């Protein structure tokens, strides 16, 4: 493989890792994520990127990736057919659009007036239900149980909505953004390996037909193991019943 192709691959995987990490940090401010090693990229350009605000960083990195692809197409490094290259640009654009949609969830809060009214209604319900339960129900235990269950359920629904209003962060119920970043880096590292650059060569003969012998053998082994497990369970259950008798 030509050295120019390897340079292009190493540049793209680092820029994609940087794009993904920047997108996650824009959604979850203050969260630390790890990218691939960026020391091979131009540090002056990375320093200029850090001076921009969050959403502008995403657009800048996106521009770098697109410009790199276009430059390497002109240099003859990228020789893929035009429809495939157009698909790459389309996927990148869709990813940035999805990030913009997620950013709207983060930046647009639940309307304050609705939240204020819901709080007032919950407080009125909290103090009103015990009075009505005591008036309508005959026993103290019935009134107490009815009031507790109704008030408890409504407050739980309210706190659940507050918890999922901002799903980006490091709280226990937030989305696993760090795990997604780790998975992305592992995928990029795998794509940069030599084993991913070419498909395995076929070393059989032209007359050789596909065989399912290994699959059938594995299925038969699993079936036999399942049968033995069922027999052992039945023997144990029969022995237990005999001991009880």
């Amino acid at each position: 493989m030509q050295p120019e192709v390897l340079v292009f691959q190493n540049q793209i995987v680092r820029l994609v890792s940087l794009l993904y990490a920047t997108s996650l940090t824009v959604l979850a401010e203050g969260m630390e994520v790890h990218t691939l090693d960026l020391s091979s990229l131009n540090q002056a350009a990375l320093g200029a990127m850090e001076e921009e605000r969050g959403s502008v960083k995403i657009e800048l990195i996106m521009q770098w990736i697109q410009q790199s692809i276009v430059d390497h197409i002109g240099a003859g490094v990228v020789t893929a057919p035009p429809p495939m290259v157009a698909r790459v640009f389309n996927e990148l654009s869709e990813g940035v659009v999805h990030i913009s949609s997620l950013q709207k969830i983060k930046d647009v809060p639940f309307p304050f007036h609705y939240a204020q009214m819901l709080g007032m209604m919950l407080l009125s319900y909290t103090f009103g239900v015990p009075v009505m339960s005591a008036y309508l129900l005959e026993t103290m235990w019935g009134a107490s149980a009815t009031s507790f269950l109704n008030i408890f359920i409504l407050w739980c629904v309210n706190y659940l909505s507050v918890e999922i209003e901002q799903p980006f962060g490091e709280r226990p119920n937030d989305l696993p953004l760090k795990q997604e970043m780790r998975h992305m880096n592992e995928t990029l590292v795998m794509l940069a390996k030599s084993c991913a650059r070419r498909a395995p060569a076929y070393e059989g003969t032209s007359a050789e037909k596909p065989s399912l012998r290994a699959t059938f053998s594995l299925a038969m082994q699993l079936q036999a193991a399942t049968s033995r497990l069922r027999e052992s369970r039945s023997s144990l259950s029969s022995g237990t019943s005999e001991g009880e008798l």
Side-chain angles (χ1 to χ4, degrees):
M1 184 172 290
Q2 299 178 0
E4 294 82 2
V5 178
L6 297 178
V7 170
F8 173 68
Q9 288 182 346
N10 287 311
Q11 180 191 33
I12 287 297
V13 295
R14 284 164 173 79
L15 288 177
V16 171
S17 177
L18 180 61
L19 175 63
Y20 200 80
T22 305
S23 303
L24 295 185
T25 52
V26 168
L27 295 175
E29 296 180 357
M31 186 180 67
E32 295 183 359
V33 293
H34 298 284
T35 64
L36 298 181
D37 183 21
L38 303 178
S39 59
S40 301
L41 298 179
N42 187 285
Q43 298 302 310
L46 296 179
M49 181 201 68
E50 291 296 333
E51 297 177 359
E52 304 292 341
R53 60 185 182 90
S55 58
V56 178
K57 292 180 182 179
I58 298 175
E59 299 294 338
L60 179 58
I61 301 171
M62 179 71 174
Q63 174 63 23
W64 287 347
I65 295 175
Q66 292 177 339
Q67 188 64 45
S68 177
I69 295 174
V70 172
D71 292 343
H72 286 86
I73 290 175
V77 176
V78 178
T79 59
M84 296 181 63
V85 178
R87 183 64 179 174
V88 171
F89 284 113
N90 186 36
E91 291 290 336
L92 290 171
S93 301
E94 287 185 1
V96 173
V97 170
H98 292 324
I99 291 297
S100 300
S101 301
L102 293 175
Q103 195 171 358
K104 293 176 183 177
I105 299 176
K106 169 184 172 294
D107 294 338
V108 180
F110 189 76
F112 174 74
H113 299 88
Y114 285 99
Q116 192 176 30
M117 181 56 66
L118 285 174
M120 295 299 297
M121 292 174 65
L122 280 173
L123 288 175
S124 301
Y125 191 83
T126 301
F127 292 105
V129 167
V131 176
M132 295 302 298
S133 299
Y135 178 75
L136 295 176
L137 300 178
E138 297 180 356
T139 62
M140 178 186 67
W141 297 109
S144 302
T146 302
S147 301
F148 174 78
L149 288 176
N150 282 276
I151 296 171
F152 178 75
I153 290 172
L154 288 180
W155 277 103
C156 285
V157 172
N158 178 67
Y159 282 117
L160 283 174
S161 62
V162 172
E163 185 69 19
I164 65 176
E165 183 181 2
Q166 292 291 339
F168 312 112
E170 301 185 65
R171 298 176 299 179
N173 294 324
D174 288 339
L175 296 175
L177 300 182
K178 287 189 174 181
Q179 289 82 346
E180 291 296 327
M181 187 69 230
R182 188 182 305 111
H183 175 69
M184 172 60 74
N185 288 333
E186 292 174 354
T187 304
L188 292 172
V189 170
M190 179 273 297
L191 292 175
K193 291 180 179 179
S194 59
C195 61
R197 293 169 189 159
R198 294 195 180 276
Y202 178 69
E203 299 177 353
T205 61
S206 59
E208 186 178 353
K209 296 182 179 180
S211 175
L212 298 178
R213 185 178 306 168
T215 305
F216 287 147
S217 176
L218 178 61
M220 293 176 63
Q221 292 177 8
L222 292 175
Q223 186 177 5
T226 305
S227 302
R228 290 195 298 268
L229 181 61
R230 289 177 179 174
E231 291 176 359
S232 62
R233 287 182 177 177
S234 60
S235 63
L236 287 174
S237 59
S238 61
T240 305
S241 358
E242 291 176 358
E244 292 179 353
L245 292 175

